[in-house]
């Protein structure tokens, strides 16, 4: 069953294929989790084409991955047969279909493609699935300071946009943007240990197109 038609189409058409792990996810995981001290159990939300899987496997982690695209999960099962039972296609805003609990949950710009309501649902599930000292690391969540926030059509709540006519968000469904206060409210069941806003300013074009993204580390209370 396909839970995200937009992203399933993206992966089927090879419009987004990342082959290398994301540097911020690696650095935050190494710095703020216990991955170098012991074997940990990791859940990745929106694992996509699996660019981060080799990093976690190389650190002797027990890896689990979820994605809304059946197509991309089937590809990963063939590529990583040893962990195929740990790779599942589902709507992780409404279910995390593993009985085990986790030391670490990571999300690199996946959950942020949902509405506020669905993000809240998922964060409650994450809280339930984390061990007592477990952490949730979010990378590249879109900020309201991102130039695209003023574009698109508002959907359900002031932080969620859709129907972008141009740019990277065209034809991929919901895109969620957060300011500091909104993120703190979303993560109120966690202790926020790190909250960084990364702003990339275009200094060549005369048109201001600042890219603004949040990285955070949240510990289960």
């Amino acid at each position: 069953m396909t839970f995200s038609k937009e992203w399933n189409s993206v992966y089927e058409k090879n419009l987004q294929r990342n082959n290398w792990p994301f540097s911020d996810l690696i650095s935050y995981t190494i710095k703020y989790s216990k991955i170098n001290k012991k074997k940990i159990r990791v859940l990745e939300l929106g694992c996509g084409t699996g660019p981060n899987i080799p990093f976690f496997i190389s650190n002797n982690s027990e890896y689990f991955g979820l994605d809304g695209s059946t197509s991309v999960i089937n590809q990963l099962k063939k590529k990583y047969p040893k962990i195929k039972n740990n790779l599942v296609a589902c709507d992780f805003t409404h279910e995390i279909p593993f009985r085990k609990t986790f030391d670490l949950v990571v999300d690199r710009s996946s959950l942020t493609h949902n509405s506020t309501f669905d993000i809240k649902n998922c964060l409650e599930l994450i809280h339930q699935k984390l061990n007592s000292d477990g952490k949730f690391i979010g990378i590249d969540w879109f900020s309201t300071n991102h130039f695209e926030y003023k574009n698109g059509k508002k959907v359900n709540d002031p932080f969620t946009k859709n129907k972008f006519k141009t740019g990277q968000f065209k034809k991929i469904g919901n895109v969620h943007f957060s300011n500091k206060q909104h993120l703190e409210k979303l993560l109120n069941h966690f202790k926020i240990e790190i909250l960084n806003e990364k702003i990339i300013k275009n200094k060549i074009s005369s048109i201001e197109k600042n890219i603004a993204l949040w990285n955070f580390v949240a510990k289960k209370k």
Side-chain angles (χ1 to χ4, degrees), residues 5-204:
K5 294 181 180 179
E6 295 93 350
W7 282 98
N8 202 58
S9 177
V10 166
Y11 290 127
E12 285 183 337
K13 295 177 181 178
N14 287 322
L15 297 178
Q16 187 169 130
R17 183 158 295 278
N18 299 309
N19 296 318
W20 302 99
F22 292 95
S23 57
D24 278 357
L25 187 142
I26 291 175
S27 60
Y28 274 66
T29 298
I30 291 174
K31 190 171 183 178
Y32 300 113
S33 79
K34 296 181 179 179
I35 196 166
N36 287 329
K37 297 179 181 179
K38 65 175 185 177
K39 181 176 181 178
I40 65 173
R41 186 178 297 133
V42 179
L43 170 64
E44 181 174 14
L45 304 178
C47 56
T49 55
N52 301 311
I53 293 178
F55 163 69
F56 287 111
I57 291 178
S58 68
N59 280 278
N60 199 32
S61 301
E62 187 180 0
Y63 178 91
F64 293 76
L66 297 175
D67 201 276
S69 168
T70 305
S71 172
V72 81
I73 287 294
N74 288 337
Q75 293 173 36
L76 289 179
K77 285 178 179 288
K78 293 178 181 178
K79 187 174 182 179
Y80 299 101
K82 290 184 179 180
I83 60 168
K84 65 180 181 180
N85 293 331
N86 296 355
L87 303 169
V88 177
C90 74
D91 180 356
F92 51 78
T93 66
H94 287 83
E95 64 169 334
I96 295 179
F98 300 118
R99 292 185 178 182
K100 296 182 177 181
T101 55
F102 299 90
D103 302 298
L104 176 66
V105 177
V106 298
D107 168 51
R108 189 267 164 187
S109 196
S110 177
L111 190 51
T112 193
H113 285 285
N114 291 279
S115 68
T116 297
F117 178 81
D118 288 333
I119 291 172
K120 285 181 178 179
N121 281 344
C122 187
L123 290 172
E124 289 181 8
L125 293 173
I126 292 170
H127 191 270
Q128 293 169 16
K129 284 293 184 179
L130 278 173
N131 292 326
S132 59
D133 61 345
K135 293 187 179 182
F136 173 43
I137 295 179
I139 300 295
D140 290 346
W141 282 36
F142 304 115
S143 167
T144 51
N145 289 318
H146 195 295
F147 80 95
E148 288 283 17
Y149 179 59
K150 64 180 181 293
N151 300 319
K153 183 178 180 181
K154 191 181 297 183
V155 181
N156 299 323
D157 64 80
F159 296 100
T160 308
K161 298 291 188 73
N162 202 328
K163 297 182 179 178
F164 290 83
K165 295 181 180 180
T166 60
Q168 71 177 101
F169 300 139
K170 184 179 179 181
K171 294 183 179 180
I172 60 170
N174 289 339
V175 182
H176 187 268
F177 300 83
S178 299
N179 57 29
K180 180 176 181 288
Q181 292 74 21
H182 182 56
L183 264 182
E184 289 174 334
K185 188 174 181 179
L186 286 174
L187 296 167
N188 65 341
H189 294 311
F190 300 82
K191 178 185 178 182
I192 301 176
E193 296 184 330
I194 302 294
L195 181 58
N196 297 326
E197 185 178 21
K198 178 174 58 178
I199 298 177
I200 302 171
K201 295 185 177 182
N202 188 332
K203 294 296 186 179
I204 297 178

